[in-house]
Amino acid sequence: MRYTLPILAALAGVCYAQSTFSPLRPPALPLAVRSPYMSTWQQAGSDGGNGGYLAGEWPSFWMGQLTGWTGFIRVDNVTYNWLGGSNQSSVYVEQTNYEYTATKSIFTMNAGGLVNMTVTFLSPVIPDDLLRASLPYTYMNVDVISADGNEHDVQLYTDISAEWCDCSVELWDDYAERLASISQCGVFGLFSVFARLLVLCRFGVVARFSVFGFVSVFGLFRFFRDFICSASKCITIRLNNLRASIDTATRVTQAEKTYGTRTAYDLTTEYPRPFRPTHMSGAGVAQPTNFHPGRQVRDAQTLAKRDMGSVAYHEVYRQQQLTFAETNQQADWGYWYYATEDTANLTHQSASDVDVRGAFVDNGVLANTEDTNYRAINDSFPTFGFAVDLGPIGSCTVDTLFQLSLHQDYCVQFEGANGNETVPCLWTSYFDSNTAAVGYFYNDFKDGDTIANAFDQKVASDSNAAGGADYTSLTSLAARQAFGSLVFTNTPDAPYVFLKEISSDGNIQTVDVIFPFHPIAIYLNPTLLKYMLDPLFINQEAGYWPYQFSIHDLGSAFPNATGHNDGNDEMQPLEECGNMMIMTLAYAQRTNDNAYLTQHYDILKQWNEYLIQEALIPANQISTDDFAGALANQTNLALKGIIGIEAFAQIANRTGNAADGANYTQIAHDYISSWETYGINNDTTYPHAELSYGNASSYVLLYNLFADAELGLQLVPQSVYDMQSAFYPTVFNEYGVPLDTRHTYSKNDWELFCAAIASSGTKEQFISTIAKWLGATPTNFAFTDLYNTVTGDYPNTTVFIARPAVGGMFTLLALDSAPSSGHVTPS
């Protein structure tokens, strides 16, 4: 059952008036954003959202389908809703604050003035560790502490529904029970109990033990948490928790218990807010090194045993597995796991939403039973719940960790050098089973949280230094969304990173979407960019693509990177040749990997020949902004092509091809002189680049100029930079500068490309205006990169949401690694 939004607002109106939002309130709050299929948000904008509150509205997949995620807390026998739109408790927590960082969404809440809650959703962004980057998982950690200084009896509940899987077909069935305790036991485990008891007695630290006594995620129960607990109350909690652990250990040793479910199903669901994005119609590799090789050499068995705690889980999957298929953008294959620590105080249940949630509301515990009534998903929604009795909560924080994950053995179908092949998900190289991976990730929380905190601080510190607090609000929101479009595949010796063009086309490995994404890769780890370019080179160097110019994408529908052997792809020849040249050099410059340039020199030269033929006077073709339509003589598109020629000249120099380097750099400099004559309107108060040659009444957001600075080419005269920087402030609307004179819409990734190379004043105006838009836009889906600069809403036609293009927010930080000069003397 679900309330409509007006009813929800009436019921939960008290809490809706009180939360603060930091650094701002985004149109949708990221909850579980880790891959194209794990992309769940809390809609907040005025166009259907509830204003940014976790309680009272269902989280939803990026496209709008509801993902039934629920949370209740029972305090002194009164049940409060803190997550989701269930109507089985009409009492809501009061949300007092929401904060986001680059990896976390943190909600602060109060239940009836009795206990405070902090709910943290952590979706790691891991740019430099292949193992952790390969795991498409997210954490939800719930902290509870007394708000009034008194002890309160507290139980915590959460569930997911079958809506997390694709919502297209009729039935769910094939229920099977499965052991849900992942555990390792032995002499060392028993020794650890006593060793850690000695440590705890010595230092007086509150601790909580997993079943077999080693320290897992909760092992030290948070050394020196936010404050020091009262000694007497902490001792009581410590003894209670220890006693519960020993009881649980004894019980499991005697007979393994079965927590959770293994449920296969098919499903169909109707949604109260259907959403359909606009789809645009369209025209012997060297082995890379691992990010941190020392971390990657561990075998799967060792990893599976690392800090292994006892973990209870629900495993939910679609009975009819359709590998590499999607329905409404959701995966038709894979296994979902919802997991938590297995303790004596944990109960579980799977049944209809009414029954599972009702059991907790009525009793504070679940029945430890499984549902065997196979049915359509929207017929008494199948729901998979956990309840944890936290006992008396006083002045010590008690936290409970949950993790959600999607396991697929194979991620992508790829047309490589030897034809179509199924490419394994990279995580399978490290773990020999789903449960081994679940156990590793769950018990990696302490380290993962530390890594996430360091990452958050790096992004915030660097962003603040580069562009102030407003800029930090943009980059911190963009990081998870950008990485949430990626899947890490193949093997640690030859990883491929595939990107889904979310919402706009659904293509895989779209070159002109990797291009706006690539600043975040350049900033965090340029090797990521190589892992994304590799499949494009492999496919085209094998001869599958029949044209001289670069391909637009590797497949019309993610995750099928099966190429376009018939040549039937969206044609953006000038755009994609320029993009490939710029990104390949950007990677090589920052890693000094000239061997990579040598390896791909022939095809790069082939694409460069196309640029020489077409860049100066572009034909009637589309650019990356295909929604704007085709246009001849595009000034901005020509600039990209000319910069691409100069980029190849430096590629030639770096690979010892001196004659090519001298020839192509001369051509590029000749072209840029002509381009200044053709495409700039000097007969006006504020000279500026035109949309197309000779169109004096037009202007354009000249974002392709960024590549000249990124590569340190110094091809384009500084006067052009200064000219555009002075011009942009004259054409700002309420929420930004239009893409060109044809429409009032713009793309904020391209605006940040312009801001990065503008004067300090113009840069600040771009950043502050986009931050203002982000906090005010009525849009209520994930961070769009295309919006109306007058109204702040979506354009009237094309709608983009959750796209990886927001990696373009990192342009200022990508410039930090730009060479002072991109020119290299041939050896």
Side-chain angles (χ1 to χ4, degrees):
M1 297 178 66
R2 288 162 171 74
Y3 283 121
T4 60
L5 290 175
I7 296 175
L8 280 173
L11 287 174
V14 175
C15 73
Y16 283 5
Q18 308 206 14
S19 184
T20 58
F21 296 86
S22 176
L24 51 77
R25 192 224 63 178
L29 318 182
L31 302 183
V33 182
R34 194 69 170 87
S35 75
Y37 300 130
M38 181 178 284
S39 187
T40 282
W41 305 72
Q42 190 80 346
Q43 295 181 340
S46 60
D47 184 18
N50 71 356
Y53 291 82
L54 195 59
E57 174 160 324
W58 293 108
S60 61
F61 187 58
W62 68 259
M63 194 178 174
Q65 302 98 307
L66 303 184
T67 49
W69 206 353
T70 304
F72 295 144
I73 188 169
R74 184 178 167 96
V75 183
D76 297 336
N77 296 320
V78 176
T79 301
Y80 302 81
N81 180 316
W82 56 267
L83 168 63
S86 173
N87 66 340
Q88 289 173 262
S89 173
S90 58
V91 183
Y92 290 78
V93 298
E94 179 185 357
Q95 181 176 312
T96 57
N97 186 58
Y98 168 76
E99 176 185 2
Y100 67 83
T101 66
T103 65
K104 297 178 181 179
S105 284
I106 305 166
F107 297 84
T108 305
M109 306 168 174
N110 176 275
L114 304 177
V115 299
N116 291 326
M117 300 176 65
T118 302
V119 182
T120 302
F121 296 85
L122 167 58
S123 296
V125 176
I126 311 291
D128 59 357
D129 183 332
L130 279 176
L131 188 157
R132 288 186 171 94
S134 72
L135 294 168
Y137 298 177
T138 197
Y139 296 108
M140 180 178 70
N141 193 60
V142 183
D143 288 348
V144 182
I145 189 171
S146 174
D148 60 6
N150 298 317
E151 284 192 347
H152 299 282
D153 189 43
V154 178
Q155 296 82 41
L156 185 68
Y157 170 89
T158 183
D159 70 48
I160 61 168
S161 80
E163 293 159 288
W164 280 85
C165 292
D166 88 84
C167 303
S168 59
V169 281
E170 291 294 327
L171 299 174
W172 69 298
D173 77 20
D174 192 29
Y175 169 82
E177 196 172 84
R178 178 170 181 153
L179 176 68
S181 293
I182 308 170
S183 59
Q184 300 289 330
C185 183
V187 174
F188 178 78
L190 296 175
F191 172 80
S192 297
V193 174
F194 297 106
R196 286 171 173 78
L197 275 175
L198 291 174
V199 171
L200 294 170
C201 291
R202 180 178 179 184
F203 291 101
V205 179
V206 180
R208 203 171 166 194
F209 296 92
S210 58
V211 172
F212 294 106
F214 41 77
V215 179
S216 64
V217 177
F218 298 106
L220 294 180
F221 200 61
R222 302 303 184 265
F223 261 100
F224 304 118
R225 192 67 178 166
D226 298 331
F227 51 84
I228 298 176
C229 299
S230 158
S232 60
K233 294 180 179 179
C234 288
I235 290 171
T236 301
I237 293 173
R238 183 193 311 126
L239 294 176
N240 288 342
N241 286 333
L242 177 58
R243 185 177 301 112
S245 297
I246 293 172
D247 291 343
T248 304
T250 303
R251 185 172 73 255
V252 174
T253 301
Q254 293 171 348
E256 293 180 322
K257 61 182 179 179
T258 52
Y259 270 9
T261 59
R262 178 182 175 91
T263 303
Y265 61 89
D266 295 338
L267 65 160
T268 183
T269 307
E270 295 179 2
Y271 306 105
R273 299 188 301 280
F275 178 82
R276 294 294 181 269
T278 300
H279 287 253
M280 300 303 300
S281 59
V285 179
Q287 292 186 345
T289 57
N290 291 310
F291 297 156
H292 290 305
R295 295 182 188 172
Q296 313 299 334
V297 296
R298 298 167 293 178
D299 59 73
Q301 186 176 11
T302 301
L303 292 170
K305 292 180 180 179
R306 178 189 181 278
D307 293 335
M308 181 61 70
S310 185
V311 179
Y313 64 80
H314 291 284
E315 181 187 47
V316 184
Y317 62 98
R318 191 183 194 273
Q319 181 188 22
Q320 185 183 9
Q321 295 279 297
L322 302 177
T323 308
F324 309 133
E326 294 181 334
T327 302
N328 293 329
Q329 306 294 312
Q330 290 180 278
D332 287 339
W333 83 106
Y335 298 81
W336 289 90
Y337 286 80
Y338 198 39
T340 191
E341 186 182 23
D342 185 5
T343 71
N345 300 323
L346 178 72
T347 55
H348 76 279
Q349 187 173 351
S350 62
S352 71
D353 54 349
V354 174
D355 291 340
V356 179
R357 296 163 190 163
F360 179 80
V361 171
D362 293 341
N363 306 308
V365 297
L366 301 179
N368 290 340
T369 58
E370 291 77 36
D371 194 341
T372 58
N373 179 24
Y374 313 134
R375 59 190 180 276
I377 288 306
N378 61 353
D379 176 9
S380 301
F381 290 84
T383 300
F384 311 92
F386 288 122
V388 185
D389 188 350
L390 302 182
I393 297 296
S395 58
C396 294
T397 300
V398 176
D399 50 355
T400 307
L401 179 69
F402 302 91
Q403 72 102 4
L404 182 67
S405 57
L406 172 62
H407 299 248
Q408 297 166 320
D409 289 338
Y410 293 94
C411 278
V412 166
Q413 188 174 204
F414 171 49
E415 185 180 45
N418 298 316
N420 285 328
E421 57 188 51
T422 56
V423 182
C425 300
L426 183 58
W427 73 266
T428 62
S429 294
Y430 301 107
F431 305 96
D432 56 9
S433 69
N434 292 345
T435 52
V438 170
Y440 173 85
F441 184 79
Y442 189 88
N443 289 290
D444 189 50
F445 176 69
K446 182 179 179 181
D447 289 346
D449 189 43
T450 299
I451 293 169
N453 287 338
F455 180 85
D456 292 344
Q457 291 168 13
K458 172 181 170 58
V459 171
S461 176
D462 291 350
S463 298
N464 191 66
D470 282 341
Y471 186 53
T472 304
S473 72
L474 302 180
T475 56
S476 296
L477 185 63
R480 269 173 288 177
Q481 179 171 317
F483 272 75
S485 69
L486 307 181
V487 290
F488 287 71
T489 73
N490 209 32
T491 67
D493 291 330
Y496 304 146
V497 176
F498 286 96
L499 172 146
K500 179 174 181 177
E501 185 184 342
I502 293 175
S503 84
S504 47
D505 265 326
N507 297 162
I508 182 169
Q509 224 63 357
T510 309
V511 176
D512 62 290
V513 177
I514 297 175
F515 186 74
F517 169 91
H518 92 273
I520 192 173
I522 290 297
Y523 163 60
L524 293 174
N525 185 348
T527 305
L528 285 173
L529 183 56
K530 176 190 182 299
Y531 294 161
M532 301 173 77
L533 297 177
D534 279 344
L536 290 157
F537 280 120
I538 292 169
N539 178 270
Q540 292 173 89
E541 288 171 341
Y544 298 122
W545 176 242
Y547 295 107
Q548 176 189 5
F549 48 81
S550 170
I551 202 169
H552 168 266
D553 60 78
L554 284 182
S556 58
F558 183 94
N560 296 288
T562 50
H564 296 280
N565 298 357
D566 59 0
N568 186 22
D569 190 16
E570 184 171 7
M571 296 298 181
Q572 295 182 12
L574 186 50
E575 175 75 40
E576 310 304 20
C577 287
N579 289 335
M580 289 298 293
M581 214 71 69
I582 292 163
M583 291 190 292
T584 303
L585 180 57
Y587 157 74
Q589 284 179 335
R590 285 153 178 81
T591 60
N592 201 31
D593 189 356
N594 293 330
Y596 194 68
L597 303 179
T598 299
Q599 178 185 350
H600 302 300
Y601 190 82
D602 289 346
I603 198 165
L604 290 168
K605 186 173 182 178
Q606 172 185 310
W607 295 336
N608 188 60
E609 291 297 327
Y610 178 85
L611 292 177
I612 290 170
Q613 297 169 28
E614 300 292 335
L616 182 58
I617 310 293
N620 186 46
Q621 57 182 265
I622 57 175
S623 71
T624 180
D625 305 317
D626 52 2
F627 48 86
L631 183 68
N633 302 325
Q634 292 185 58
T635 303
N636 195 36
L637 184 58
L639 180 61
K640 176 170 284 181
I642 297 168
I643 292 172
I645 296 170
E646 179 62 24
F648 184 74
Q650 299 313 314
I651 290 172
N653 289 341
R654 283 177 168 268
T655 55
N657 294 282
D660 281 353
N663 180 33
Y664 295 132
T665 198
Q666 182 63 53
I667 292 172
H669 282 78
D670 289 346
Y671 277 13
I672 203 68
S673 296
S674 298
W675 175 88
E676 287 185 80
T677 302
Y678 298 158
I680 292 177
N681 181 358
N682 286 301
D683 190 21
T684 182
T685 304
Y686 291 95
H688 56 268
E690 301 164 338
L691 170 61
S692 57
Y693 294 164
N695 187 350
S697 63
S698 68
Y699 65 81
V700 66
L701 205 59
L702 198 67
Y703 55 82
N704 283 326
L705 183 58
F706 172 80
D708 181 59
E710 176 189 20
L711 301 177
L713 298 177
Q714 300 172 344
L715 170 69
V716 184
Q718 182 61 40
S719 60
V720 175
Y721 288 82
D722 297 339
M723 171 191 75
Q724 289 299 117
S725 186
F727 170 71
Y728 291 134
T730 70
V731 289
F732 264 88
N733 287 330
E734 180 72 15
Y735 295 114
V737 176
L739 195 60
D740 58 56
T741 40
R742 291 174 291 182
H743 306 278
T744 58
Y745 57 60
S746 191
K747 290 184 85 270
N748 47 46
D749 52 343
W750 300 146
E751 289 179 287
L752 262 294
F753 271 61
C754 294
I757 54 176
S759 66
S760 58
T762 301
K763 175 179 72 175
E764 181 179 346
Q765 187 173 3
F766 269 118
I767 291 170
S768 62
T769 302
I770 295 170
K772 179 179 73 172
W773 163 80
L774 190 58
T777 175
T779 64
N780 68 316
F781 287 88
F783 199 167
T784 182
D785 55 299
L786 180 66
Y787 68 101
N788 189 304
T789 59
V790 175
T791 66
D793 210 337
Y794 297 113
N796 292 330
T797 53
T798 303
V799 174
F800 291 168
I801 51 178
R803 294 193 343 136
V806 295
M809 299 297 107
F810 286 80
T811 48
L812 276 67
L813 302 180
L815 282 185
D816 286 345
S817 61
S820 57
S821 174
H823 293 266
V824 175
T825 302
S827 56

